[in-house]
Amino acid sequence: MWKVTAQGAEGKPYEVATSPLDDDGQAPRPAEMGDIESPTYRLLMQEAALPDAQRFMPIHQWAATAEEAAKEMEWTGLPVLKAADGGIARHAGDGQNRPSCLAWHDRGAMLISVADDKVQLSVEYIPERAEEQRMKRMLHRHASSGHQLETLLEWRAFVGRRTGIVDGWTLMRQSGRGYTASLVGATGFVVARALRRITLPEPALTSDSRMQSRLAELEAAQPAIADTCPRLEEVEPPLDGDIAMVFVHGTASCGITGLKDLFPPATTGFMVPCPVLRFEHDTFVPIIDNVKTLAAEIAHRLHVRKLLLVAHSRGGLVAADAAKVLRDAGYAGDVTVYTFGTPYQGTPLVAMGKKALNLLMKLGEGIADNVPVPVLSPLAKAMFYVMESPTLPPGILAMQEGAEALRYIQRSAEAVRLLSWGSDYDILSGIAGYGVASEGFLLGALQRPHDLVVTAQSATGCGRTQPKLECAHGQYFKQPQVQLAINNYLQPPAPRGGGGTDRRRDADDETGAAATRTAARHAANTQRPRVPKPPPDKFGPKRAGDDGEAGPSVRP
């Protein structure tokens, strides 16, 4: 049984309209559920009709499929995943021991109608007797004395008048036979489920065990992008030419998720204007480790006159610092960095603690085109529920507001040619977008203009600030002005008659939406000198917090 109350403007509590949902997310449409003709409600109904990979589904519906997928991907370093009594379990060893983490949903869900903006909601959940017995059975079969049980309110909110979609979970407090939690709601609808997890204390994560399986799944799903825009590490022999681009992805993500939006097949047929590479990397490791690898790979494999680093979110921190390392090492190419939604001043999401890690993984899997929700394979869903770490990995913790690593990267960013884009997403009246939150709605965490993950101030905290966008965090590369800015930079030289010179449209000193300036260059048929490779020892700068060892050397 569910009961939801709200605190009114005069401080008086009142009961909020709710409606039960079945496990397929289908619900009746009673009049008391509010404006069922609103765009918000229509989007809610569209989400319920989506393919399984995009729906907010209970664990028992896909756990067995996730187990089979994990077996197929065991070569990627995934932990052992097993379906267990309607839940999904992660095992530290061969799967024969008790699980390190086991998650399951109680049956059924609740649809909550929120009529006011920024209203405090109190949610009470009293499980049916059958669910209480199931919980005791799960503890008996799968838990030891060292396991801890937690009950969470997991929710997907359809917020605002156009609408924003926000996924989150909130730890519930036991109260008698039931559990309670508080949310900061906004006009719209909330789908809520009771999530149970039993966990063992574990060491902090230092690497992303999902990275290789995520990359394998996305490359298989998007073969045209994977082939047209290969991994940077696969470039052999080194590339000689005029211009190239490297895409640097964000947290727990893959370059394919951004490139499929930047070069949509419907308009480009996956024809790119120049060589475009992907820097695929583990975002849980320290940022400096990613920086050293990216700089070394570029110096070894890309001998071009102009290089554009296009980076999303955390990837902008890596790209900005790598550009500084390349410059200091004597890289002869002209390097420019474009960053989108990069937390130069950090993001409040990191301060939410370890639960934010699970939710950030949703952002990295890619956002659907038809309805702005994450596209999650059963394997991705499983890892979202069973990943556990007492603290955030170092590569995520570095994005906390005020972190020392950010101050260093800010200095690096100011020393290179860098353009930065941020967004002021209006969750109440803007276009549909997606975000995450771990306690309450994101409205409470990001008081300033934001893209549902990073504030606009933080995203434009370095470099030449570009006109503010109005999209959510996962939608930057769908924006026409962003596509225009990047394509303008990448256009090949246009030959001119007579003087034997050419012109290139150059976006370095212009805004992303404005016309780019032109500059005279050497004739297209002039032999360009090969860019010399810097000596190996220039890629291991010692920094505060480093272990003192040199970074990776440039391969001969």
Side-chain angles (χ1 to χ4, degrees), residues 15 40 70 104 115 139 150 158 183 243 246 250 301 328 347 350 362 397-398 439 455 458 489 518 527 539 556:
E15 191 164 343
T40 306
W104 72 94
L139 290 170
E150 57 184 9
F158 298 77
L183 294 175
I243 189 168
V246 175
R301 301 181 187 279
D328 292 347
T347 171
V350 175
K362 280 192 173 184
L397 195 59
E439 296 292 333
T455 66
S458 181
Y489 187 100
T518 58
Q527 180 66 34
F539 285 89

Short mmCIF file of all heavy atoms in Angstrom, two decimals, residues 15 40 70 104 115 139 150 158 183 243 246 250 301 328 347 350 362 397-398 439 455 458 489 518 527 539 556:
data_model
loop_
_atom_site.label_atom_id
_atom_site.label_comp_id
_atom_site.label_asym_id
_atom_site.label_seq_id
_atom_site.Cartn_x
_atom_site.Cartn_y
_atom_site.Cartn_z
N GLU A 15 -3.41 15.02 1.08
CA GLU A 15 -3.12 13.77 0.39
C GLU A 15 -3.02 13.99 -1.11
O GLU A 15 -3.81 14.73 -1.70
CB GLU A 15 -4.20 12.74 0.71
CG GLU A 15 -3.83 11.33 0.26
CD GLU A 15 -4.69 10.27 0.89
OE1 GLU A 15 -5.36 10.56 1.91
OE2 GLU A 15 -4.68 9.12 0.38
N THR A 40 3.07 16.06 -20.40
CA THR A 40 3.74 15.23 -19.40
C THR A 40 3.11 13.84 -19.32
O THR A 40 3.80 12.82 -19.34
CB THR A 40 3.67 15.91 -18.02
OG1 THR A 40 4.17 17.23 -18.12
CG2 THR A 40 4.46 15.13 -17.00
N ALA A 70 25.69 -11.67 -19.50
CA ALA A 70 26.93 -11.60 -18.72
C ALA A 70 27.85 -12.78 -19.06
O ALA A 70 29.08 -12.63 -19.11
CB ALA A 70 26.62 -11.57 -17.23
N TRP A 104 16.28 -6.63 -5.93
CA TRP A 104 15.01 -7.04 -6.51
C TRP A 104 13.96 -5.96 -6.22
O TRP A 104 14.13 -5.13 -5.32
CB TRP A 104 14.55 -8.39 -5.96
CG TRP A 104 14.06 -8.41 -4.54
CD1 TRP A 104 12.77 -8.29 -4.11
CD2 TRP A 104 14.86 -8.54 -3.36
NE1 TRP A 104 12.70 -8.35 -2.73
CE2 TRP A 104 13.98 -8.51 -2.25
CE3 TRP A 104 16.23 -8.69 -3.12
CZ2 TRP A 104 14.43 -8.61 -0.93
CZ3 TRP A 104 16.67 -8.79 -1.81
CH2 TRP A 104 15.79 -8.76 -0.74
N ALA A 115 0.71 18.21 -8.39
CA ALA A 115 0.01 19.34 -8.98
C ALA A 115 0.74 20.66 -8.81
O ALA A 115 0.41 21.65 -9.46
CB ALA A 115 -1.39 19.45 -8.39
N LEU A 139 16.54 -13.17 2.29
CA LEU A 139 17.58 -13.05 3.30
C LEU A 139 18.05 -14.43 3.75
O LEU A 139 19.26 -14.67 3.94
CB LEU A 139 17.06 -12.25 4.49
CG LEU A 139 16.83 -10.75 4.26
CD1 LEU A 139 16.09 -10.14 5.44
CD2 LEU A 139 18.16 -10.04 4.02
N GLU A 150 18.79 -2.92 2.57
CA GLU A 150 18.32 -1.55 2.42
C GLU A 150 17.08 -1.54 1.52
O GLU A 150 16.97 -2.33 0.59
CB GLU A 150 19.40 -0.63 1.85
CG GLU A 150 19.96 -1.04 0.52
CD GLU A 150 21.09 -0.13 0.06
OE1 GLU A 150 21.56 0.72 0.86
OE2 GLU A 150 21.51 -0.27 -1.11
N PHE A 158 8.26 12.41 -14.36
CA PHE A 158 7.95 13.13 -15.60
C PHE A 158 7.51 14.52 -15.14
O PHE A 158 6.39 14.72 -14.69
CB PHE A 158 6.85 12.41 -16.37
CG PHE A 158 7.23 11.03 -16.80
CD1 PHE A 158 7.23 9.97 -15.90
CD2 PHE A 158 7.63 10.77 -18.11
CE1 PHE A 158 7.59 8.69 -16.29
CE2 PHE A 158 7.99 9.49 -18.51
CZ PHE A 158 7.98 8.46 -17.60
N LEU A 183 10.56 13.50 -0.86
CA LEU A 183 10.98 13.96 -2.18
C LEU A 183 10.60 15.42 -2.34
O LEU A 183 9.61 15.88 -1.76
CB LEU A 183 10.29 13.17 -3.30
CG LEU A 183 10.59 11.69 -3.47
CD1 LEU A 183 9.68 11.11 -4.56
CD2 LEU A 183 12.04 11.48 -3.84
N ILE A 243 43.78 17.57 -41.19
CA ILE A 243 42.94 17.80 -40.02
C ILE A 243 42.33 16.49 -39.55
O ILE A 243 42.08 15.57 -40.34
CB ILE A 243 41.82 18.82 -40.35
CG1 ILE A 243 41.06 19.23 -39.09
CG2 ILE A 243 40.86 18.27 -41.40
CD1 ILE A 243 40.16 20.43 -39.31
N VAL A 246 39.17 14.08 -32.56
CA VAL A 246 39.09 13.03 -31.56
C VAL A 246 37.93 13.34 -30.62
O VAL A 246 37.85 14.46 -30.08
CB VAL A 246 40.39 12.88 -30.76
CG1 VAL A 246 40.23 11.84 -29.65
CG2 VAL A 246 41.55 12.50 -31.67
N GLY A 250 32.18 11.14 -21.88
CA GLY A 250 32.03 11.46 -20.47
C GLY A 250 31.99 10.24 -19.58
O GLY A 250 32.38 9.13 -19.96
N ARG A 301 50.02 8.72 -33.04
CA ARG A 301 49.16 8.26 -34.14
C ARG A 301 48.63 9.37 -35.04
O ARG A 301 48.21 9.08 -36.16
CB ARG A 301 47.98 7.47 -33.56
CG ARG A 301 48.42 6.26 -32.75
CD ARG A 301 47.24 5.47 -32.21
NE ARG A 301 47.66 4.42 -31.30
CZ ARG A 301 48.13 3.24 -31.68
NH1 ARG A 301 48.22 2.95 -32.97
NH2 ARG A 301 48.51 2.34 -30.80
N ASP A 328 53.03 21.55 -24.24
CA ASP A 328 54.28 21.61 -23.50
C ASP A 328 55.31 20.63 -24.03
O ASP A 328 56.52 20.86 -23.90
CB ASP A 328 54.02 21.33 -22.02
CG ASP A 328 53.21 22.43 -21.34
OD1 ASP A 328 53.05 23.51 -21.95
OD2 ASP A 328 52.73 22.20 -20.21
N THR A 347 30.45 19.26 -10.09
CA THR A 347 29.00 19.08 -10.15
C THR A 347 28.49 18.65 -8.78
O THR A 347 29.10 17.81 -8.12
CB THR A 347 28.61 18.04 -11.21
OG1 THR A 347 27.20 17.75 -11.08
CG2 THR A 347 29.39 16.75 -11.07
N VAL A 350 28.18 14.82 -7.43
CA VAL A 350 29.23 14.05 -6.78
C VAL A 350 29.08 14.11 -5.26
O VAL A 350 29.38 13.14 -4.56
CB VAL A 350 30.62 14.57 -7.22
CG1 VAL A 350 31.73 13.86 -6.45
CG2 VAL A 350 30.80 14.35 -8.72
N LYS A 362 23.72 5.43 -15.78
CA LYS A 362 22.60 5.52 -16.72
C LYS A 362 22.86 6.57 -17.79
O LYS A 362 22.52 6.39 -18.96
CB LYS A 362 21.31 5.85 -15.98
CG LYS A 362 20.64 4.67 -15.28
CD LYS A 362 19.24 5.06 -14.84
CE LYS A 362 18.48 3.87 -14.30
NZ LYS A 362 17.08 4.21 -13.96
N LEU A 397 35.32 11.14 -8.15
CA LEU A 397 35.50 12.03 -7.00
C LEU A 397 36.21 13.32 -7.41
O LEU A 397 36.01 14.37 -6.80
CB LEU A 397 36.29 11.30 -5.91
CG LEU A 397 36.29 11.93 -4.51
CD1 LEU A 397 34.86 12.04 -3.97
CD2 LEU A 397 37.16 11.11 -3.57
N ALA A 398 37.03 13.26 -8.45
CA ALA A 398 37.76 14.45 -8.91
C ALA A 398 36.83 15.54 -9.41
O ALA A 398 37.25 16.69 -9.55
CB ALA A 398 38.73 14.06 -10.03
N GLU A 439 18.80 11.91 -4.25
CA GLU A 439 17.92 12.22 -3.11
C GLU A 439 17.02 13.38 -3.53
O GLU A 439 17.49 14.48 -3.75
CB GLU A 439 18.74 12.62 -1.87
CG GLU A 439 19.62 11.51 -1.33
CD GLU A 439 18.82 10.36 -0.74
OE1 GLU A 439 17.68 10.58 -0.30
OE2 GLU A 439 19.32 9.23 -0.73
N THR A 455 25.99 22.57 -13.83
CA THR A 455 25.50 23.94 -13.93
C THR A 455 26.14 24.64 -15.13
O THR A 455 27.27 24.33 -15.53
CB THR A 455 25.82 24.75 -12.66
OG1 THR A 455 27.24 24.91 -12.53
CG2 THR A 455 25.26 24.07 -11.43
N SER A 458 29.49 26.20 -14.24
CA SER A 458 30.60 25.25 -14.20
C SER A 458 31.03 24.86 -15.61
O SER A 458 32.22 24.78 -15.91
CB SER A 458 30.19 24.02 -13.40
OG SER A 458 31.24 23.08 -13.31
N TYR A 489 34.43 23.71 -38.38
CA TYR A 489 35.86 23.55 -38.11
C TYR A 489 36.46 22.45 -38.98
O TYR A 489 37.60 22.55 -39.44
CB TYR A 489 36.08 23.22 -36.63
CG TYR A 489 37.54 23.19 -36.23
CD1 TYR A 489 38.10 24.28 -35.59
CD2 TYR A 489 38.34 22.09 -36.50
CE1 TYR A 489 39.44 24.27 -35.22
CE2 TYR A 489 39.68 22.07 -36.14
CZ TYR A 489 40.22 23.16 -35.50
OH TYR A 489 41.55 23.15 -35.16
N THR A 518 37.61 33.21 -42.01
CA THR A 518 38.48 32.49 -42.94
C THR A 518 39.89 33.01 -42.81
O THR A 518 40.12 34.14 -42.40
CB THR A 518 38.00 32.67 -44.39
OG1 THR A 518 37.97 34.05 -44.70
CG2 THR A 518 36.62 32.07 -44.60
N GLN A 527 53.56 20.29 -50.44
CA GLN A 527 53.96 19.19 -49.57
C GLN A 527 54.07 19.67 -48.14
O GLN A 527 54.77 20.62 -47.84
CB GLN A 527 55.32 18.62 -50.02
CG GLN A 527 55.80 17.48 -49.17
CD GLN A 527 54.89 16.26 -49.33
OE1 GLN A 527 54.37 16.01 -50.39
NE2 GLN A 527 54.73 15.52 -48.24
N PHE A 539 55.91 13.04 -21.68
CA PHE A 539 54.53 12.71 -21.42
C PHE A 539 54.32 12.17 -20.02
O PHE A 539 53.33 11.53 -19.74
CB PHE A 539 54.00 11.71 -22.46
CG PHE A 539 53.75 12.39 -23.76
CD1 PHE A 539 54.75 12.49 -24.70
CD2 PHE A 539 52.52 12.95 -24.00
CE1 PHE A 539 54.51 13.13 -25.88
CE2 PHE A 539 52.27 13.60 -25.19
CZ PHE A 539 53.27 13.69 -26.14
N PRO A 556 57.77 4.08 -30.71
CA PRO A 556 58.63 4.40 -31.83
C PRO A 556 57.91 4.18 -33.14
O PRO A 556 56.98 3.41 -33.23
CB PRO A 556 59.77 3.41 -31.66
CG PRO A 556 59.19 2.28 -30.86
CD PRO A 556 58.18 2.89 -29.97
#
